[in-house]
Amino acid sequence: MVTAPSTAIPGVDIDPFSIAFFDDPFPHHERLREAGPVVRLDTWNLHGVARYAEVHAVLNDPQTFCSSRGVGLSDFAKEKPWRPPSLILEADPPAHTRTRAVLSRVLSPAVMKQVRDGFAAAAEAKVDEIVAMGSFDGVADLAEAYPLSVFPDALGLKKEGREHLIPYAGLVFNAFGPPNELRQQAIDRSAPHQAYVQEQCQRENLAPGGFGACIHARVDAGEITATEAPLLVRSLLSAGLDTTVYGIGAALYCMARFPGEWQRLRADPSLARNAFEEAVRFESPVQTFFRTTTREVEIGGHTIGEGEKILMFLGAANRDPRRWHEPDRYDITRQTSGHVGFGSGIHMCVGQLVARLEGEVMLAALARRVASIEISGPVKRRYNNTLRGLDSLPLTVTAA
Ligand code: 4IA
């Protein structure tokens, strides 16, 4: 095959980990997509993909684009990781296959069936509370309070020390980013949060019947070692709470901004699950992730060397007009399948059923009990190197 001489990879002078970018990523996402199938981001010496096709392709070729050198900017082949690597997120097959199977079964459809009624009852109780308040903070009082009322108990955590959970997750997601102030500050302040998490991952600190105890039970079955089990519990503590806080926050923010869609949901609460999924596509709570090339590889007619970091813009892919009709419209009946808000391929979110369960029962409870949702004060953004969401969302609701 004769190939055209490859032109230089377009450079873009955008820092995707800056406050200006976080405040309004959408025009930057468009510039990144339009610049080409792959771009150079010179601020942090890396390559980026922002179009749906390339993001999807990178996610689905784990042999070429590996995770074991870290899914943040730091290359574990060159730098010591800030914590022992995750046995699932920061692993490649065949090691990944075994740990993935364990967490996949701990968070299976059968397990969701067991926790569903409890999660739904807690959502209804939480919605009753905010309806009684009338005015409240959608972030603290709902997006954070609801997952905190179900997930730590489902995991089997002790009551004491739970205030470390959200700061620990904030740290994990800031640490994927470049060595900017957000990352440095988070790591500088991490010691008490890390100590808490390490302790709670031990078998004796996890209540029988919870997700944590279920992971440790796989040691007895010979599927994982006693050393591996606490690290797999750590994955749930890292990825299982703050992500759903941001996901539910995204859904609330959508409902408050798009009253037409809120009325459609009220008219048919069975749309709750897709309304949540569309909020994950629309806001992409997990905005970015990296891979590292294991060989020289061609992307969109450009050659990239071995050992290069590739930044995937999940949020940009989820609004790529090449893939989505009217991508900037929040539409609760959209065909959302194929969005990359939960990733794609062998690493696609292993906890997605828990996330969807929480999102669905919360939106369904709101749809049945609330007539109107209005933003009633200044909306404040929370800044994180990986997560997109709000710090404060003042809301006023009326009862149905
Ligand atoms: C882990 C991508 C994100 C949701 C995530 C973060 C941490 C871990 C897994 C996934 O610690 O395993």
Side-chain angles (χ1 to χ4, degrees):
M1 189 178 83
V2 181
T3 51
S6 93
T7 50
I9 299 176
V12 180
D13 65 341
I14 283 176
D15 177 2
F17 302 99
S18 62
I19 299 300
F21 190 96
F22 299 146
D23 272 327
D24 187 11
F26 303 108
H28 302 300
H29 284 163
E30 184 174 2
R31 256 188 77 199
L32 290 163
R33 284 188 306 255
E34 293 303 315
V38 56
V39 299
R40 275 212 58 79
L41 292 158
D42 288 310
T43 320
W44 301 108
N45 183 38
L46 53 86
H47 291 95
V49 288
R51 295 181 185 175
Y52 181 88
E54 280 73 26
V55 169
H56 189 267
V58 169
L59 285 168
N60 283 281
D61 184 358
Q63 253 217 85
T64 307
F65 304 99
C66 79
S67 291
S68 57
R69 289 169 72 166
V71 300
L73 178 59
S74 171
D75 182 352
F76 294 176
K78 298 175 183 159
E79 282 183 288
K80 184 178 146 62
W82 70 276
R83 61 171 191 170
S86 164
L87 297 181
I88 179 164
L89 178 73
E90 293 152 337
D92 297 320
H96 166 267
T97 313
R98 189 171 50 86
T99 51
R100 169 85 187 189
V102 167
L103 288 192
S104 205
R105 252 185 302 140
V106 169
L107 305 171
S108 68
V111 174
M112 294 310 106
K113 232 174 143 176
Q114 292 166 19
V115 300
R116 186 181 175 96
D117 289 350
F119 276 43
E124 280 161 21
K126 188 53 69 185
V127 170
D128 284 344
E129 268 180 53
I130 58 106
V131 167
M133 284 194 259
S135 291
F136 63 99
D137 191 326
V139 175
D141 301 325
L142 204 58
E144 291 187 345
Y146 171 60
L148 278 169
S149 79
V150 290
F151 188 72
D153 285 337
L155 225 127
L157 292 176
K158 290 190 299 192
K159 296 279 179 202
E160 315 86 78
R162 290 182 179 185
E163 68 278 4
H164 288 290
L165 289 169
I166 285 179
Y168 182 75
L171 154 71
V172 167
F173 286 97
N174 271 323
F176 292 128
N180 58 12
E181 194 173 311
L182 276 170
R183 184 177 197 269
Q184 286 329 125
Q185 277 212 0
I187 292 177
D188 288 347
R189 297 168 188 182
S190 69
H193 311 313
Q194 289 207 69
Y196 163 79
V197 163
Q198 179 155 330
E199 185 60 21
Q200 303 321 307
C201 290
Q202 303 307 309
R203 192 167 194 170
E204 62 272 20
N205 290 323
L206 293 158
F211 301 151
C214 289
I215 292 173
H216 282 281
R218 309 324 297 173
V219 175
D220 309 331
E223 293 168 16
I224 47 172
T225 69
T227 324
E228 291 174 320
L231 269 177
L232 289 176
V233 176
R234 195 194 68 179
S235 285
L236 300 197
L237 290 176
S238 302
L241 183 72
D242 219 19
T243 47
T244 60
V245 167
Y246 279 71
I248 292 169
L252 266 182
Y253 193 31
C254 285
M255 291 306 168
R257 280 175 297 171
F258 308 114
E261 295 307 288
W262 165 245
Q263 290 307 334
R264 290 177 75 201
L265 177 66
R266 278 192 72 209
D268 182 2
S270 76
L271 295 173
R273 200 167 171 93
N274 202 62
F276 178 71
E277 202 70 26
E278 169 71 346
V280 174
R281 180 200 69 85
F282 189 79
E283 285 294 334
S284 300
V286 176
Q287 283 275 296
T288 50
F289 258 100
F290 296 83
R291 294 291 189 254
T292 312
T293 56
T294 58
R295 60 172 174 88
E296 194 177 90
V297 58
E298 197 207 278
I299 304 180
H302 296 291
T303 304
I304 294 175
E306 182 275 339
E308 298 276 345
K309 283 284 174 178
I310 311 285
L311 178 58
M312 300 175 291
F313 288 91
L314 306 180
N318 277 340
R319 291 183 181 223
D320 183 353
R322 295 161 189 79
R323 168 64 179 76
W324 305 98
H325 176 64
E326 297 184 70
D328 298 326
R329 220 181 100 207
Y330 177 70
D331 170 6
I332 68 169
T333 54
R334 179 190 295 276
Q335 284 191 19
T336 54
S337 61
H339 81 76
V340 290
F342 287 117
S344 178
I346 65 165
H347 286 280
M348 188 175 176
C349 181
V350 77
Q352 58 185 279
L353 297 181
V354 187
R356 292 196 183 111
L357 172 60
E358 288 182 28
E360 179 196 340
V361 298
M362 172 49 66
L363 286 181
L366 285 167
R368 289 193 207 97
R369 285 157 199 251
V370 172
S372 66
I373 305 183
E374 264 173 49
I375 299 176
S376 53
V379 174
K380 255 191 78 188
R381 185 154 294 283
R382 187 177 292 173
Y383 300 110
N384 184 284
N385 279 330
T386 304
L387 296 171
R388 170 173 174 78
L390 300 178
D391 201 43
S392 180
L393 175 61
L395 292 177
T396 299
V397 293
T398 56

